[in-house]
Amino acid sequence: MHTSRTPAPLRRALLASAALLAAASPAAFAQAPAYPSKPITIVVGYPPGGSTDLTGRAVGAELSNRLGVPVVIENLGGAGGAIGAQKVASSAPDGYTLLVGASNEIAINKLVTKKVKYDIKDFTAIGLVASQPLVLVASTGTGVKNLAEFTERVRKNPGKLSYGSSGVGTSLHLAGEMIKEQGQLFMTHIPYRGVAPLTNDLVGNNLEFGVFVLSSGLPHIKSGKVIALGTTEAKRSTVAPDIPALAESAQYKNVDIGTWFALMAPAHLPKPVAERLKKALNETLESPDFRKRMEAAGSTVASPSLDVDKFLAAEVAKYKKIIEFAKIEE
């Protein structure tokens, strides 16, 4: 009588296969570290102290508390935020390198300059964090006190008056061009290298008009150094409800532009990681302490129910229209 035996080489192969199957079992997968298991870096594409940096630090502190790991802020300034954004777009999509960015570097820069190599499609949008309106101001030397006087003065002096912004292709520049388009006005744009020199020329009456982020302009408005003519979002800001929205005037009813801040990750972020981050961000947006901190800085916190992908697509379409109208290129 013969007994059937498995040859030794085949037996070893079967044992190896069994070991591989065991390693690939759900129990084995469960042993992999859950996200997050190490510190997270949030890149901010500007030096410390500005509105994007403040937003990034506020978000970072909240995410750290909710995710249970340290969140480190890396300030990587240059090229209007594009250097920091490029780093995140080029990073591994593992959830450990994120961007708190503003509208400039996320959506506008690529439309204005070919030097920017990344695109909005190179990111996974986690969510909108907050927004700020901009504000159109007049220098005291113009004698202009309100929007109607501004419109009349510019129309009577086509091409003779100027407005300033913090640079070509910034949200401030686009707001100025949107105002020109809606009001059918002819003004010269003066790009400055940042808000500080723009402020100096407005306060010193070396420039007639300018566009500020509201939080940057409010101290000068309250001190009477510049005159607020209107904010640029569709409704008045809760931060400065005494300043009318430009859209309250029939002539400027379609002016609706501001600056906003969003939490972004590299493209192709795994869905479980994206959902974990979105949950933590939504909890942050509902935090009363976070809201107070952002409102004190002049920002309105975004709604957790906002569809960020639809929002970004609409913003890019808006920017494209303004850029084409004004023929903005850097």
Side-chain angles (χ1 to χ4, degrees):
M1 183 175 181
H2 297 285
T3 303
S4 174
R5 292 184 177 180
T6 304
L10 180 57
R11 189 165 59 251
R12 284 195 295 271
L14 289 171
L15 288 172
S17 297
L20 286 171
L21 286 171
S25 69
F29 280 128
Q31 295 173 6
Y35 174 84
S37 60
K38 62 181 182 179
I40 295 169
T41 296
I42 289 181
V43 176
V44 173
Y46 302 91
S51 55
T52 308
D53 177 65
L54 185 151
T55 303
R57 291 178 187 278
V59 169
E62 292 282 346
L63 291 185
S64 179
N65 291 336
R66 297 175 195 286
L67 296 174
V69 296
V71 175
V72 179
I73 304 299
E74 180 182 357
N75 294 96
L76 194 59
I83 292 175
Q86 178 66 68
K87 175 176 179 176
V88 175
S90 303
S91 296
D94 55 11
Y96 291 103
T97 304
L98 307 175
L99 174 75
V100 167
S103 47
N104 285 350
E105 62 269 26
I106 293 174
I108 298 175
N109 285 357
K110 177 65 177 179
L111 303 175
V112 173
T113 175
K114 295 176 182 177
K115 295 177 184 177
V116 173
K117 301 303 180 186
Y118 64 85
D119 191 273
I120 197 166
K121 293 179 290 187
D122 295 321
F123 296 100
T124 298
I126 304 303
L128 192 69
V129 177
S131 63
Q132 281 197 30
L134 311 176
V135 59
L136 175 67
V137 303
S139 64
T140 56
T142 62
V144 168
K145 302 296 184 185
N146 54 49
L147 184 60
E149 291 181 4
F150 159 78
T151 302
E152 182 181 12
R153 179 70 60 83
V154 177
R155 280 191 169 172
K156 286 184 175 178
N157 297 277
K160 295 180 181 178
L161 302 173
S162 302
Y163 82 92
S165 80
S166 57
V168 173
T170 60
S171 57
L172 282 69
H173 180 195
L174 269 58
E177 295 302 317
M178 178 177 268
I179 291 165
K180 283 169 59 177
E181 179 191 25
Q182 296 295 315
Q184 298 181 333
L185 306 175
F186 179 23
M187 282 190 298
T188 302
H189 171 237
I190 308 295
Y192 286 79
R193 299 179 76 84
V195 173
L198 167 63
T199 303
N200 289 339
D201 271 6
L202 279 166
V203 171
N205 290 312
N206 296 315
L207 178 70
E208 292 88 10
F209 306 105
V211 180
F212 281 118
V213 174
L214 181 60
S215 59
S216 299
L218 268 179
H220 310 295
I221 292 167
K222 290 179 176 178
S223 68
K225 292 178 180 177
V226 295
I227 309 299
L229 303 177
T231 53
T232 63
E233 290 184 336
K235 296 180 180 179
R236 293 192 185 202
S237 168
T238 55
V239 176
D242 54 324
I243 302 177
L246 295 172
E248 293 174 26
S249 167
Q251 192 165 5
Y252 300 95
K253 65 181 180 180
N254 293 320
V255 172
D256 184 13
I257 187 171
T259 188
W260 43 260
F261 311 98
L263 179 64
M264 311 291 282
H268 311 300
L269 189 70
K271 189 175 180 181
V273 176
E275 289 177 348
R276 184 79 178 93
L277 285 168
K278 286 182 180 182
K279 182 176 183 292
L281 178 61
N282 287 344
E283 290 172 355
T284 295
L285 300 180
E286 292 173 339
S287 162
D289 288 342
F290 180 76
R291 284 182 173 273
K292 285 179 184 177
R293 184 172 178 182
M294 296 307 296
E295 287 169 3
S299 292
T300 299
V301 174
S303 168
S305 63
L306 177 85
D307 186 322
V308 67
D309 292 314
K310 286 184 179 178
F311 172 83
L312 291 175
E315 289 293 287
V316 169
K318 178 196 301 181
Y319 299 146
K320 280 184 178 177
K321 184 178 178 182
I322 301 169
I323 289 165
E324 288 171 1
F325 162 77
K327 297 180 174 61
I328 300 171
E329 189 174 347
E330 190 177 42

